[in-house]
Amino acid sequence: MSETHIPDLRAVEAVLELQPETKYPETPFFTGPEAPCRFEAEVYNCVVRGEIPKQIDGTYYRCMPDQLWSPMYEDDVFINGDGAIDAVRIKDGHADFKQKFVRTERFVIERAARKSVFGKYRNRYTDDIRVRHKIHSTANTHVIYFEKQLLALKEDSLPYAMNPDSLKTIGVYDFHGQYTSPTFTAHPKIDPHTGELITMGYEAKGDMTTDIAYFLFNKDGKKLEEFWFNAPYSGMMHDMGATDHWVIFVLTPLAAVSMDLLKQGHKHFAWDKEKPLMFGIVPRRNPRLEDVKWFENKNAFYGHTGNAFEKDGCIYLDAPLTYQNKFWFFPPVGEDMHTTETAKPPQTGPVSHYVRWKLDPNATTLKVEPVEMVDLDGEMPKVDSRYDTKPYKYFFLAMHNPTAKEEPVGGSYNAIAKCNVDDGTYEYWYAGTGIAVHEVAFIPRHQDAPEADGYLVSIVNRRDTLLTNIIILDTLDMEKGPVAVIELPFRLRNGIHGSWVDGKDLPGAEDLCDMHGVTDEIKAEFGNKP
Ligand code: V55
Ligand code: FE
């Protein structure tokens, strides 16, 4: 037989079909650099270029949606992926990494099934009938630290608690039975002075309902407030805001479709060009229905809160604002996500602006218009968490470099900015062509460091090499670029939100990576003592 008749591996691969449970849709959410990763990983002592500042001691946690199984529907969306939690433990100039999936009910059932049995994003009527009434959380949106546990969050369900040392899933968390809504926001706020947790659930009496449940917990997890009220319409309420005396509820025109449409298998949310963006204010303590006020902004997309604070009796809310639907994959009812007019980027100029709303609790007119604070196209704003809910001066932003020729890669950003909200000035560092940057976490240089003086940590997708970097920037010299680049020998997908937890606050009872066999004797003799 001549050699030409023996197919090589590439030729074989070209004719063999992928098995159905891992054959993903040929859409940008599942192909190329966004192909699902599907693994759990540990890297003890990562490869590091440069020097990780020795005073950094803590762990960066963040969520990455990653569909373990090919979705039941071709039009599945990125935000429906199973929640993988990444942890980067930094100490003594070294970094250890671990990635583990949250053991949600969906994870364990689908692991047994070896395929997807949960259907579309927030549409239980598209599920395998056997799981319709199970917990739908993918725990893929944000991971926060409260009561010495990680809480992995998805706004359609309760949090999942995890062990912060090992990333083992503990289970669904309802604050010892005190939390009574079936839903819990992915963006609760923690008051850095009191340690209180300000949180809420929307669609709190079931799919498509306008009910909102507000909760305030003290730092030990004791419920201080529970207050139920209604939104003017049912829509996505992804982020929120809080100040010393007020809580702000953000209602976006990504409207919940009718129950009939949901039952017919429609996507849960659809952009509604006619609806305003609205802000509901509620007193943080002793709220009463007569204190609730809804302010109205024209139709616009609101993603994430930068910060909120109070001054002279007024509430200020700061965030990037976009006059088009950034969630193009939830188009208006009857429109196609690939051709809808509501999500086309404008031909010129930045897409979002960082703006400020003034919400006056005594106002008689409830129409509001924001003022632009910083002219940068970005999202995922983060302040120094010691200034959350308080007046502040600086924030960090994942942004699109305005001088770069390329579009933000894969819907992500390519630069990181440090912005001064008082005068609109900023500095930024551009990561380069084909490199996707995401939300940062801020690490104070030391406990008493001035506002925004410290380091940023973020996970960066190298679409050029199909690998991953974790970068550390010095906030006093952003333009210099990272002081350390941690290299992971594999590709990760786009990440969502995360938190930095200081080492002194972590239990530290277990190791992040598997240290089995490394006895105390071995440690005593060979241990790396700085
Ligand atoms: C967002 C992300 C979500 C979600 C709803 O960033 C909104 C916005 C990762 O999941 O379910
Ligand atoms: Fe978010």
Side-chain angles (χ1 to χ4, degrees):
M1 215 156 81
S2 89
E3 235 178 71
T4 54
H5 290 128
I6 303 172
D8 68 4
L9 184 55
R10 272 180 291 270
V12 170
E13 187 183 58
V15 297
L16 295 183
E17 275 290 313
L18 287 164
Q19 294 185 331
E21 73 274 18
T22 55
K23 185 178 188 319
Y24 289 89
E26 295 285 328
T27 65
F29 288 136
F30 299 102
T31 49
E34 287 305 309
C37 294
R38 309 189 69 252
F39 58 78
E40 300 194 313
E42 255 187 43
V43 182
Y44 185 68
N45 203 91
C46 299
V47 173
V48 178
R49 281 181 196 273
E51 256 182 65
I52 300 176
K54 293 279 193 295
Q55 71 265 39
I56 300 181
D57 175 5
T59 304
Y60 174 51
Y61 299 97
R62 70 123 202 204
C63 282
M64 182 186 87
D66 191 34
Q67 276 84 347
L68 277 162
W69 307 103
S70 180
M72 288 170 71
Y73 297 87
E74 284 284 309
D75 63 352
D76 198 46
V77 292
F78 170 68
I79 60 174
N80 199 27
D82 297 282
I85 305 298
D86 295 315
V88 187
R89 176 83 183 98
I90 300 177
K91 193 175 165 64
D92 302 329
H94 300 293
D96 301 330
F97 173 88
K98 184 165 181 172
Q99 169 162 297
K100 217 163 166 55
F101 284 96
V102 187
R103 265 51 181 180
T104 59
E105 193 156 35
R106 169 164 143 171
F107 175 99
V108 298
I109 289 171
E110 292 186 341
R111 182 153 272 209
R114 283 191 194 264
K115 64 172 189 170
S116 280
V117 290
F118 287 78
K120 292 188 187 183
Y121 178 83
R122 289 186 85 163
N123 189 335
R124 64 184 79 249
Y125 302 98
T126 62
D127 293 341
D128 179 318
I129 188 87
R130 295 172 297 171
V131 301
R132 184 171 287 177
H133 300 292
K134 301 286 186 192
I135 299 165
H136 280 66
S137 177
T138 49
N140 71 3
T141 313
H142 195 358
V143 53
I144 63 161
Y145 193 59
F146 189 68
E147 279 195 87
K148 300 272 176 196
Q149 307 180 98
L150 296 177
L151 298 180
L153 305 176
K154 182 70 172 179
E155 66 198 48
D156 64 359
S157 305
L158 291 173
Y160 271 92
M162 300 175 85
N163 180 312
D165 291 333
S166 64
L167 301 187
K168 282 203 185 88
T169 302
I170 298 162
V172 173
Y173 191 63
D174 68 357
F175 294 77
H176 319 288
Q178 299 171 94
Y179 190 87
T180 55
S181 164
T183 57
F184 187 102
T185 181
H187 290 284
K189 306 298 169 202
I190 294 177
D191 185 313
H193 295 189
T194 63
E196 286 172 341
L197 182 82
I198 300 137
T199 190
M200 66 99 172
Y202 73 98
E203 297 193 25
K205 288 191 180 165
D207 288 331
M208 293 22 208
T209 58
T210 58
D211 300 82
I212 303 171
Y214 156 64
F215 296 86
L216 180 68
F217 291 95
N218 77 6
K219 67 174 186 342
D220 304 315
K222 181 179 180 291
K223 185 163 70 182
L224 303 178
E225 300 289 350
E226 170 170 350
F227 175 67
W228 289 70
F229 64 110
N230 287 87
Y233 64 88
S234 183
M236 187 184 276
M237 300 182 65
H238 180 61
D239 205 339
M240 61 190 297
T243 69
D244 288 339
H245 301 97
W246 295 92
V247 185
I248 306 146
F249 295 83
V250 181
L251 173 62
T252 73
L254 278 165
V257 301
S258 71
M259 201 63 192
D260 280 348
L261 278 181
L262 190 77
K263 287 183 174 169
Q264 288 163 32
H266 199 281
K267 288 178 172 177
H268 188 115
F269 294 113
W271 184 254
D272 186 338
K273 292 175 270 197
E274 307 304 323
K275 289 207 160 59
L277 165 64
M278 300 189 79
F279 306 109
I281 60 165
V282 172
R284 180 161 147 183
R285 289 185 185 75
N286 305 311
R288 299 168 308 170
L289 279 176
E290 57 266 39
D291 299 324
V292 179
K293 263 196 175 134
W294 285 95
F295 294 87
E296 196 176 311
N297 188 90
K298 72 175 179 184
N299 181 263
F301 180 94
Y302 182 110
H304 294 102
T305 302
N307 206 358
F309 61 93
E310 261 165 61
K311 213 176 99 191
D312 305 329
C314 280
I315 302 162
Y316 293 87
L317 174 69
D318 295 0
L321 183 70
T322 313
Y323 287 106
Q324 65 202 151
N325 177 18
K326 278 204 165 175
F327 274 13
W328 54 273
F329 44 85
F330 295 147
V333 173
E335 290 185 30
D336 181 278
M337 66 178 171
H338 299 294
T339 56
T340 180
E341 286 298 321
T342 56
K344 289 244 177 74
Q347 293 310 300
T348 55
V351 181
S352 321
H353 299 264
Y354 194 79
V355 303
R356 171 170 292 172
W357 287 272
K358 178 179 177 178
L359 308 174
D360 179 354
N362 298 312
T364 46
T365 159
L366 299 178
K367 287 248 194 308
V368 287
E369 256 185 72
V371 183
E372 181 176 301
M373 305 306 283
V374 181
D375 181 16
L376 279 182
D377 174 23
E379 244 292 342
M380 310 308 232
K382 267 271 175 130
V383 300
D384 177 335
S385 58
R386 298 170 300 169
Y387 291 78
D388 257 324
T389 73
K390 315 291 173 199
Y392 73 110
K393 183 168 173 185
Y394 297 106
F395 71 97
F396 304 100
L397 193 71
M399 61 168 274
H400 177 212
N401 173 3
T403 66
K405 298 273 183 301
E406 56 166 8
E407 287 295 300
V409 284
S412 310
Y413 294 97
N414 57 20
I416 295 170
K418 175 189 177 187
C419 305
N420 178 329
V421 76
D422 288 344
D423 63 12
T425 59
Y426 53 80
E427 284 176 75
Y428 66 84
W429 172 71
Y430 169 51
T433 309
I435 298 177
V437 306
H438 305 285
E439 183 181 272
V440 298
F442 173 74
I443 308 169
R445 198 172 305 270
H446 52 84
Q447 225 172 329
D448 309 310
E451 180 182 354
D453 175 0
Y455 301 99
L456 301 179
V457 56
S458 190
I459 301 186
V460 168
N461 298 36
R462 297 291 302 260
R463 286 160 198 258
D464 51 347
T465 56
L466 294 180
L467 297 171
T468 307
N469 292 161
I470 301 157
I471 55 169
I472 297 176
L473 288 152
D474 187 324
T475 62
L476 295 187
D477 197 357
M478 294 286 294
E479 287 169 359
K480 182 170 94 183
V483 295
V485 179
I486 300 165
E487 301 184 348
L488 295 181
F490 41 73
R491 177 179 60 82
L492 294 178
R493 300 175 91 211
N494 286 335
I496 316 266
H497 305 289
S499 303
W500 172 258
V501 183
D502 194 283
K504 71 172 170 358
D505 299 327
L506 287 165
E510 287 179 64
D511 297 300
L512 183 71
C513 292
D514 187 344
M515 300 298 278
H516 187 78
V518 186
T519 60
D520 288 347
E521 277 169 357
I522 292 177
K523 277 187 194 156
E525 189 170 356
F526 296 99
N528 170 10
K529 290 178 217 81

